[in-house]
């Protein structure tokens, strides 16, 4: 289970999969083209529309989302037959995992023995849990008994395991030397998995928004109206996951009866077969999307050129159509919402709001501790070198997986409550919600840290001694925490752009839902005595303010970036450039 072996698929199977990918792209790309037009129109309408005063005054951090590069020796179960072998493992900042035979090969820039992109993986640190997963992955047919011996290496106890499991890809089995090393690798790997998974959700590009809407519409055409985690990953990875789900029943029926081996060894063989199919589908989807890229760029440019001059007329047309649709469906829609939504909405609101509120509380606590630590160092008259190190550490807080784990843990704890939404609402996107809450915590921490350092740079002058400088930082601390608390009411705003009959019809329904959601949120926020407002939550989805903090910065709320000219005698703050990557 080391580097990817040669494909077990024959030419006929590979040709069949290419045909399946071609069919998927042929059916999906028309949805994508239509949503590109809708997304560009939505973007232009936001740029030209009236801008609400921003509720949150935090700076937007210029640091891109990333994970810290993590590296060190591990052992890996690999080879044919598999054996535990020492390796040197490296988690790159973009969420790719690589492993080398020796550390020197990594340092010399040699090719790795193997590598994997972490999208879609899950980290398990319990051997019994992983073995149970193998038992359920490929159960023996009823009445079937084989005389072949199971793979003994899978049964041998592993002290500090790290199992990477994927629904469609090969499993990776690592072992650490100590519990501390295992813990550090688990946090690093989880960060890489989340970074790779939410790349589309974090993007502000119209094409990314259009792609996600196109996936939703494409799946509705296939009869799937629920919500799950299929949109985690890049565009090619999302399409691959869609097709793999469609192919899985036939693959099981055709492949499992012919698999050799027994028990868990048979499950490994099944994972190897799935991995080959997944690799072939991913290669085809990537090729198809690359081929579509020039057309997409031309289409975006043409849409920008044609839509912007006529945007007023198009929006007026949309309002007229929307008004007629509202008149036709208002009565039945209100009746349906009263029967099926009103009774459930308080439960949904409290579930989502409690998750976000716990995350933001953890961010505020961690940020307060970091700011207090800087103030204490200032009062202690530290050396310039020591203070520079402390400021660097403070600036790196959002990217420190050990520190941020206190925030991320809150979202993980809510997994059970979020999972309870599955049965009554058909919602299976728990992982997406957890990742979204963790992304929110990291981005908010990054913005708060950038804001604190910016304001500190403005208020600290050469005329201040260390005690006076610490007093100024206390004022900055209070201001940042105030801005942070005002953010809490904005995080559940949503929106949906379109200028087709189907899209406007959907907006009518969502608009009615949003009215109820706004009322329920205001009741819930008022009951929790939170000092915040629901800015941006208006009646129609096109009028929604985005939840991403970057939108606030783009509105000109906090456009000035940290300077680097201010110094404090005896304990100077270093310029922001010294800790920004």
């Amino acid at each position: 289970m080391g580097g990817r072996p040669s494909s077990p698929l024959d030419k006929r199977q590979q040709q069949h999969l290419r045909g399946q990918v071609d069919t998927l792209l042929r059916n999906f790309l028309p949805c994508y083209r239509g949503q590109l037009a809708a997304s560009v129109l939505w973007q232009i309408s936001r740029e030209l529309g009236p801008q609400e005063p921003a509720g949150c005054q935090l700076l937007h951090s210029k640091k891109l989302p990333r994970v810290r590069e993590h590296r060190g020796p591990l052992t890996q179960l690999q080879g044919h037959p598999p054996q535990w072998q020492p390796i040197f493992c490296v988690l790159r900042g973009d969420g790719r995992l690589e492993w080398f035979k020796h550390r020197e090969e990594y340092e010399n820039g040699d090719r790795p023995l193997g590598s994997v992109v972490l999208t879609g993986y899950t980290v398990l640190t319990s051997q019994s849990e992983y073995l149970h997963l193998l038992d359920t992955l490929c159960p023996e047919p009823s009445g079937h008994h084989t005389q072949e011996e199971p793979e003994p290496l899978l049964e041998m106890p592993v002290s500090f395991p790290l199992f990477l499991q994927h629904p469609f890809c090969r499993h990776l089995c690592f072992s650490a030397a100590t519990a501390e090393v295992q813990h550090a690798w688990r946090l690093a790997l989880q960060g890489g998995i989340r970074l790779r998974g939410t790349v589309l959700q974090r993007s502000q590009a119209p094409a990314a928004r259009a792609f996600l809407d196109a996936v939703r519409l494409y799946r509705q055409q296939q009869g799937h109206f629920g919500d799950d985690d299929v949109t985690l990953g890049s565009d090619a990875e999302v399409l691959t996951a869609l097709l793999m789900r469609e192919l899985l029943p036939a693959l099981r029926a055709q492949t499992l009866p012919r698999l050799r081996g027994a028990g868990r060894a048979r499950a490994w063989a099944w994972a190897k077969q799935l991995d080959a199919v997944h690799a072939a589908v991913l290669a085809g989807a990537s090729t198809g999307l690359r081929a579509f890229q020039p057309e997409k760029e031309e289409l975006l440019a043409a849409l920008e050129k044609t839509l912007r001059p006529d945007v007023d007329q198009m929006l007026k047309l949309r309002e007229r159509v929307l008004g007629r649709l509202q008149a036709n469906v208002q009565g039945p829609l209100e009746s349906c919402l009263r029967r099926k939504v009103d009774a459930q909405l308080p439960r949904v609101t409290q579930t989502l709001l409690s998750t976000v509120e716990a995350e933001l509380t953890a961010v505020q606590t961690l940020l307060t501790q970091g700011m207090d630590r800087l103030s204490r160092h200032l009062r202690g008259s530290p050396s310039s070198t020591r203070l520079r190190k402390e400021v660097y550490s403070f600036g790196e807080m959002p990217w420190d997986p050990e520190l941020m784990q206190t925030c991320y843990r809150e979202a993980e704890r809510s997994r059970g409550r979020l999972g309870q939404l599955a049965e009554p609402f058909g919602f299976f996107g728990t992982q997406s919600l957890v990742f979204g809450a963790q992304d929110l915590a990291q981005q908010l921490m990054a913005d708060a840290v950038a804001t604190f350092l910016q304001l500190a740079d403005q208020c600290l002058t050469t005329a201040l001694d260390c005690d006076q400088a610490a007093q100024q930082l206390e004022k900055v601390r209070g201001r940042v925490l105030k801005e942070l608390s005002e953010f809490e009411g904005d995080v559940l705003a949503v929106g949906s752009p379109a200028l087709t009959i189907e899209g406007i019809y959907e907006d009518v329904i969502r608009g009615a839902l949003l009215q109820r959601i706004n009322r329920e949120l205001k009741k819930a926020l008022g009951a929790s005595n939170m000092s915040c407002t629901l800015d941006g939550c208006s009646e129609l989805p096109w009028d929604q303010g985005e939840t991403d903090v970057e939108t606030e910065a783009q509105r000109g709320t906090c456009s000035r970036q940290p300077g680097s000219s201010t110094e404090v005698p005896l304990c100077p703050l270093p310029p922001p450039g010294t800790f920004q990557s």
Side-chain angles (χ1 to χ4, degrees):
M1 310 225 73
R4 189 181 298 276
S6 59
S7 174
L9 303 177
D10 58 32
K11 290 185 178 180
R12 181 187 60 82
Q13 292 170 320
Q14 293 177 12
Q15 184 176 4
H16 173 72
L17 290 175
R18 283 195 292 269
Q20 293 288 324
V21 173
D22 290 344
T23 300
L24 170 67
L25 290 171
R26 188 164 54 250
N27 293 331
F28 172 76
L29 289 180
C31 292
Y32 195 8
R33 292 185 184 95
Q35 290 306 305
L36 284 171
S39 187
V40 171
L41 179 60
W42 179 87
Q43 184 79 13
I44 295 173
S45 69
R46 280 187 58 83
E47 293 174 4
L48 301 180
Q51 301 298 312
E52 296 284 341
C56 178
Q57 303 292 317
L58 293 176
L59 282 169
H60 180 65
S61 172
K62 289 290 184 80
K63 290 188 176 183
L64 295 175
R66 58 184 171 87
V67 293
R68 278 186 174 177
E69 183 169 292
H70 193 80
R71 53 185 180 269
L74 294 172
T75 56
Q76 182 184 18
L77 192 59
Q78 58 177 323
H80 306 280
Q83 296 179 349
W84 287 103
Q85 301 177 22
I87 57 167
F88 187 80
C89 221
V90 181
L91 175 63
R92 301 291 188 179
D94 62 354
R96 287 180 299 116
L97 183 66
E98 301 176 346
W99 51 95
F100 302 80
K101 189 173 183 179
H102 303 291
R103 182 189 187 104
E104 291 74 20
E105 295 176 354
Y106 158 71
E107 293 175 342
N108 294 335
D110 296 343
R111 288 176 59 88
L113 286 175
S115 65
V116 68
V117 172
L118 291 177
T119 308
Y121 275 91
T122 301
V123 185
L124 301 176
T125 56
S126 165
Q127 185 174 9
S128 61
E129 184 178 356
Y130 177 68
L131 293 179
H132 176 71
L133 183 147
L134 289 180
D135 293 337
T136 59
L137 181 65
C138 190
E140 295 282 356
S142 177
H144 177 77
H145 301 283
T146 179
Q147 300 300 318
E148 297 187 48
E149 291 293 326
E151 175 54 59
L153 281 177
L154 292 174
E155 318 296 330
M156 294 176 58
V158 181
S159 297
F160 308 107
L162 291 157
F163 299 107
L164 284 171
Q165 180 268 336
H166 192 286
F168 307 124
C169 296
R170 54 184 168 149
H171 298 180
L172 299 171
C173 304
F174 301 101
S175 177
T178 66
E180 291 76 14
V181 173
Q182 180 197 48
H183 176 72
W185 270 107
R186 179 177 64 83
L187 295 184
L189 291 169
Q190 287 174 338
I193 292 168
R194 177 170 54 84
L195 179 76
R196 300 293 307 196
T198 57
V199 60
L200 289 171
Q201 285 77 5
R202 286 184 278 105
S203 175
Q204 298 299 303
R209 182 186 182 94
F211 180 86
L212 292 173
D213 282 340
V215 169
R216 176 175 53 81
L217 293 175
Y218 170 79
R219 299 189 76 196
Q220 289 177 1
Q221 293 172 6
Q222 307 301 311
H224 184 95
F225 291 90
D227 201 355
D228 52 29
D229 296 317
V230 75
T231 55
L232 293 176
S234 67
D235 50 4
E237 290 167 337
V238 169
L239 292 185
T240 299
L242 282 175
L243 186 53
M244 288 298 295
R245 293 185 182 201
E246 295 178 15
L247 296 176
L248 192 57
L251 286 172
R252 283 186 175 276
Q254 297 169 7
T255 306
L256 290 183
R258 300 198 304 266
L259 279 181
R260 300 181 59 187
R264 293 158 183 170
R266 187 167 178 264
W268 259 22
W270 169 238
K272 177 182 177 181
Q273 182 74 17
L274 280 180
D275 183 70
V277 175
H278 183 273
V281 173
L282 179 59
S286 300
T287 299
L289 288 172
R290 281 196 301 270
F292 178 64
Q293 183 68 20
E295 178 188 342
K296 182 179 74 174
E297 293 176 353
E298 291 179 6
L299 182 58
L300 287 170
L303 286 168
E304 171 72 22
K305 183 177 180 180
T306 56
L307 291 180
R308 190 172 289 275
D310 298 327
V311 65
D312 289 339
Q313 290 82 354
M314 296 191 71
L315 294 180
K316 290 177 181 178
L317 172 62
R318 176 186 176 277
E319 291 300 318
R320 289 198 298 270
V321 175
L322 186 143
R324 289 198 295 269
L325 287 175
Q326 276 184 323
N328 290 334
V329 304
Q330 191 70 26
L333 177 59
E334 285 294 324
S335 176
C336 177
L337 292 177
R338 282 194 298 269
R339 287 185 289 108
K340 297 188 176 182
V341 174
D342 287 356
Q344 301 285 357
L345 194 55
R347 175 186 172 188
V348 177
T349 301
Q350 289 297 335
T351 300
L352 297 178
L353 196 59
S354 63
T355 299
V356 174
E357 191 173 8
E359 282 278 291
L360 297 183
T361 299
V363 169
Q364 187 172 19
T365 300
L366 184 60
L367 179 67
T368 301
Q369 293 171 351
M371 293 187 294
D372 289 347
R373 189 163 51 248
L374 274 182
S375 295
R376 287 197 301 270
H377 281 289
L378 264 178
R379 292 184 186 278
S381 301
S383 66
S384 176
T385 302
R386 175 67 182 276
L387 185 60
R388 185 181 295 269
K389 181 180 178 180
E390 292 298 329
V391 172
Y392 175 84
S393 297
F394 180 78
E396 285 292 298
M397 282 176 59
W399 324 114
D400 187 322
E402 185 68 42
L403 284 176
M404 291 299 296
Q405 180 62 17
T406 60
C407 303
Y408 301 156
R409 191 182 298 120
E410 294 299 331
E412 289 291 342
R413 287 172 176 167
S414 69
R415 187 181 294 274
R417 296 194 304 273
L418 296 172
Q420 294 174 2
L421 301 179
E423 183 176 351
F425 304 108
F427 178 81
F428 297 93
T430 302
Q431 187 63 73
S432 297
L433 282 180
V434 170
F435 280 172
Q438 292 172 338
D439 277 349
L440 172 68
Q442 186 177 48
Q443 185 63 60
L444 191 57
M445 177 64 78
D447 294 344
V449 165
T451 303
F452 179 84
L453 293 173
Q454 160 76 4
L455 296 176
D457 195 46
Q458 292 175 350
C459 73
L460 299 180
T461 68
T462 55
L464 303 177
D465 60 26
C466 285
D467 284 338
Q468 292 171 327
Q471 291 173 4
Q472 290 296 318
L473 286 189
E474 286 294 321
K475 296 179 181 179
V476 173
R477 172 186 180 276
R479 181 173 173 183
V480 172
L481 292 178
K482 178 177 181 296
E483 299 295 346
L484 191 61
S485 66
E486 292 177 354
F487 183 78
E488 297 182 21
D490 301 330
V491 296
L492 294 179
V494 293
S496 172
L499 192 54
T500 63
I501 295 299
E502 295 84 355
I504 297 175
Y505 184 81
E506 195 169 280
D507 280 351
V508 171
I509 298 174
R510 291 193 177 207
L513 279 169
L514 282 170
Q515 286 183 326
R516 284 168 159 77
I517 291 171
N518 288 347
R519 289 199 299 265
E520 194 62 39
L521 278 173
K522 288 176 181 177
K523 287 195 295 184
L525 293 173
S528 63
N529 197 28
M530 293 161 56
S531 57
C532 53
T533 59
L534 293 175
D535 295 335
C537 292
S538 56
E539 176 178 350
L540 296 177
W542 270 40
D543 295 328
Q544 298 299 309
E546 285 196 358
T547 63
D548 201 308
V549 183
E550 183 178 2
T551 303
E552 304 296 348
Q554 289 171 340
R555 290 176 178 173
T557 303
C558 303
S559 59
R560 184 177 182 273
Q561 294 303 309
S564 58
S565 59
T566 307
E567 294 186 353
V568 180
L570 302 180
C571 48
L573 283 172
T578 61
F579 56 83
Q580 291 181 349
S581 58

